[in-house]
Structures are given as structure tokens and as C-alpha cells.
Amino acid sequence: MFEAQTLHPIELSAEDKAVWRAMRASVPAFASPLLGPDFAQAIGAVRDDARVLVLKRHGRPFAFLAHHARPGGLARPIGATLSDYHALISGGRICGDQALAAGGLTAFRYHGLIDPHGVFEPAATLHDAFTVNLEGPVDAYLEGLRAASAKKFKNWRRLDHKLDRDVGPLRLVAPDWNEDSFEQLLAWKREQLRRTGGHDFLAAGWTRDLFDKLFASREGNFQGLMICLYAGDQLVAGHFGVREGEHYHPWIASVDPALAAYSPGQIFLTRAIAAMPDLGLARYDFGPGHDHYKRAYAPAETTVGGGLAAAATTAGVTALSMERLIQRAT
């Protein structure tokens, strides 16, 4: 048997956080910065509705599910829509439906589930996610990419030289603490989302609060990281996100739309990957989706799931049945 506690992330004990980190360290699939207690606490600092379900045996924690509780006991991943990855962090000794029931939850709606232990039933949908994993010299990694996509990289190298000649000498700044560049990246991203009809996740006040706090962080294993490419003094492109140790997960990927003809996003990625060793990075996580450009740079894939996990309760079974009816109807 086990006991369940539901806490705001700020209420996690030192033991809770230590056990959580140890579990992640022992399971490579849990390596993302978005799956740790630091991310949960960062979200908790800007959202009162952040919660962590902590399961314990004999008073010792052994499983964690960070989430937001919704009406009817529905749980959503903590930090959604920024939570590209989420998981029930455990040693594999628990069934997901029992964990949800113990926490008083009806169901868990997910879109980027990492589930190496098979805690939940198989996901309804699967998506590829892409990560640069440096296990050797970065030059060898980039040469392998060029060999696999020779025509693409030859064209991007040509555009790199052309941008350097036409606009100004190219230089990568990493990390970059320029506040004007930070604001410009966010503005470009919002403009892109409006232009393409995408969901403006930056419109939420808590998202901006989180980004501001992370951008201002300078110390510790968990902090914000911005990387920018300039042509002379002109900002060309950049990424902003969160890093934890050697692992970087950007949320914002922005380019100057006026320079679109130069493919600045591709020029940026080649240079950013080359800078990983100097930044102390071994993993550059592009997340799921948009594989048309990510695959050329990050052939290493992770499969994430989307769907609904139901609690082992009558309400949970009802929620799952309704979900399946909706899926059949669509």
C-alpha cells in the first residue's frame, strides 16, 4: 500500500526533491529539464494552481506527478503549453490508474508523455521529438549531418556566407543577456504566431513572468539560456529556453522575418550546435513537431505520447469512455 500527498511545488521537502532527482538520474528518458522539481517549482512561482502528486511508501516518496488540476478532477501537465515533455516520475513500481485515483484525480490529459516504465496504458497518438546528443566531438557530429544532407548543408553554407557579406559579420553570442534582443525574440515569435494562426502561448501573463524570471537567472544548475546570432550589430535569430546542467530545452525559436531569404534559422542552428561544447551542453532538445527542419539537425528521436489516462475509478472509466467516443466521432 502507499499514501498520497498533493502539494504546491513550493511545499516539496528536501527529501522529495532529492528522491525525484535521483530517479531522473537513473533513467535517461527522464533527463529533460521539464521533468524535474526545479521546473515544477519555477511554474509554482508564477501559478497558484501548480500541484505535485507525491506517492509514498512507509513515509518515503517513490513517485511524482507534476500537474494542474482542472474541474472534475482532470489533470493537465504542469506548465502546459510549455510542457513539451511530462511524466509520472517513478521507479516503475506503480500503475498510473492507481496513482491518479490515490491523488483524487479523474484523468490525466497529456500531449508529450514520456513513459519508459509503461506506467500508463499505450498512448492514443505518438509523435517524434528531436534532440541533438553529443557523444563525441562536435565537428564529427556536424560532419555526419552534412554527409547525410549534403545538398541542404551546401546551400545553407552558401547563404551563411551571403548573409555575412550582405548584412554584416556573423557572430554567435552564447549565453546572451541582452534585454533588447530578448524582447525582440519574443516579439518576432508573437508576430509569427499571429501570421500562421498558431496559439499565442506568450499572451498568458504567467508565461511572461516565468520567462522574465528565467532570463534574469544567472546561478545554479537550472536557469534560462538565450543564444543569439547577429550580423554585425543586427539581431538575426535566436533561441530562448531553460537549461539544466548539460541539457538545453528552448521554447522560443525566432528569426528576423525581413531576412527570411537567407534561411537564418538554419544558419543559426549550425552555429549553435557548434557552440555546445563551449556552453557545457551535451543535449540540445528541439522537442516534438516541425520535423521538416529538425530532423536534418537532430536525427536522434524520442517518441512521446498524446491521449488521456484514466484513474481506476468509476469517474475515470467514464472519462475514458467519453474520450473514445469523441475519437470515433472525429
Side-chain angles (χ1 to χ4, degrees):
M1 295 295 293
F2 55 86
E3 311 87 48
Q5 269 187 309
T6 299
L7 309 172
H8 187 276
I10 199 67
E11 299 173 320
L12 291 167
S13 69
E15 181 187 27
D16 292 335
K17 290 182 283 187
V19 172
W20 190 339
R21 292 185 179 114
M23 285 183 174
R24 291 178 59 226
S26 67
V27 181
F30 291 152
S32 170
L34 308 184
L35 297 179
D38 293 290
F39 179 65
Q41 292 194 309
I43 297 297
V46 296
R47 292 188 59 166
D48 292 335
D49 65 344
R51 297 291 183 270
V52 179
L53 172 60
V54 183
L55 301 180
K56 296 185 176 183
R57 282 196 180 97
H58 309 296
R60 180 168 174 78
F62 73 94
F64 305 86
L65 179 66
H67 65 282
H68 299 289
R70 293 290 183 261
L74 177 67
R76 297 295 300 272
I78 196 165
T81 57
L82 300 178
S83 51
D84 292 317
Y85 304 118
H86 30 273
L88 195 163
I89 306 296
S90 74
R93 300 170 296 165
I94 185 67
C95 293
D97 58 353
Q98 295 176 3
L100 296 175
L105 299 171
T106 300
F108 178 51
R109 169 83 64 186
Y110 56 84
H111 56 269
L113 184 69
I114 301 290
D115 192 13
H117 301 310
V119 168
F120 295 110
E121 293 294 322
T125 60
L126 298 174
H127 310 280
D128 289 333
F130 302 89
T131 305
V132 175
N133 292 314
L134 285 189
E135 298 178 346
V138 68
D139 290 343
Y141 182 89
L142 288 170
E143 187 54 40
L145 298 183
R146 294 187 187 102
S149 303
K151 289 184 179 179
K152 288 182 179 180
F153 275 84
K154 182 178 180 180
N155 185 53
W156 294 335
R157 185 165 58 247
R158 177 184 64 81
L159 291 170
D160 182 299
H161 296 327
K162 182 174 173 56
L163 180 60
D164 187 273
R165 290 193 310 269
D166 294 351
V167 182
L170 294 178
R171 58 189 177 92
L172 191 81
V173 180
D176 190 350
W177 306 117
N178 187 298
E179 294 184 7
D180 291 337
S181 295
F182 176 66
E183 294 295 340
Q184 185 63 77
L185 290 185
L186 299 186
W188 281 340
K189 175 55 68 173
R190 298 198 71 180
E191 178 185 343
Q192 177 199 358
L193 294 171
R194 285 193 295 268
R195 186 172 64 251
T196 60
H199 169 62
D200 186 1
F201 61 92
L202 291 168
W206 70 266
T207 304
R208 181 56 197 258
D209 289 344
L210 174 69
F211 283 13
D212 286 345
K213 288 177 181 291
L214 288 173
F215 180 71
S217 63
R218 300 289 188 273
E219 298 178 354
N221 196 48
F222 182 90
Q223 58 182 264
L225 173 62
M226 183 172 73
I227 303 173
C228 289
L229 177 67
Y230 296 85
D233 293 328
Q234 181 176 342
L235 179 65
V236 171
H239 278 183
F240 172 74
V242 64
R243 74 172 294 173
E244 184 180 37
E246 297 181 336
H247 197 135
Y248 179 43
H249 186 100
W251 288 302
I252 300 296
S254 295
V255 302
D256 184 347
L259 299 175
Y262 295 93
S263 296
Q266 279 69 36
I267 295 171
F268 168 84
L269 284 173
T270 302
R271 289 173 175 259
I273 292 171
M276 286 175 64
D278 289 340
L279 283 166
L281 297 176
R283 293 169 64 89
Y284 201 127
D285 197 332
F286 297 150
H290 303 290
D291 61 334
H292 59 284
Y293 81 87
K294 293 177 180 178
R295 194 180 298 275
Y297 293 94
E301 296 179 11
T302 299
T303 300
V304 299
L308 184 80
T313 61
T314 300
V317 172
T318 300
L320 188 57
S321 297
M322 291 297 295
E323 177 78 2
R324 288 170 176 166
L325 286 173
I326 292 171
Q327 288 175 350
R328 293 192 189 106
T330 56

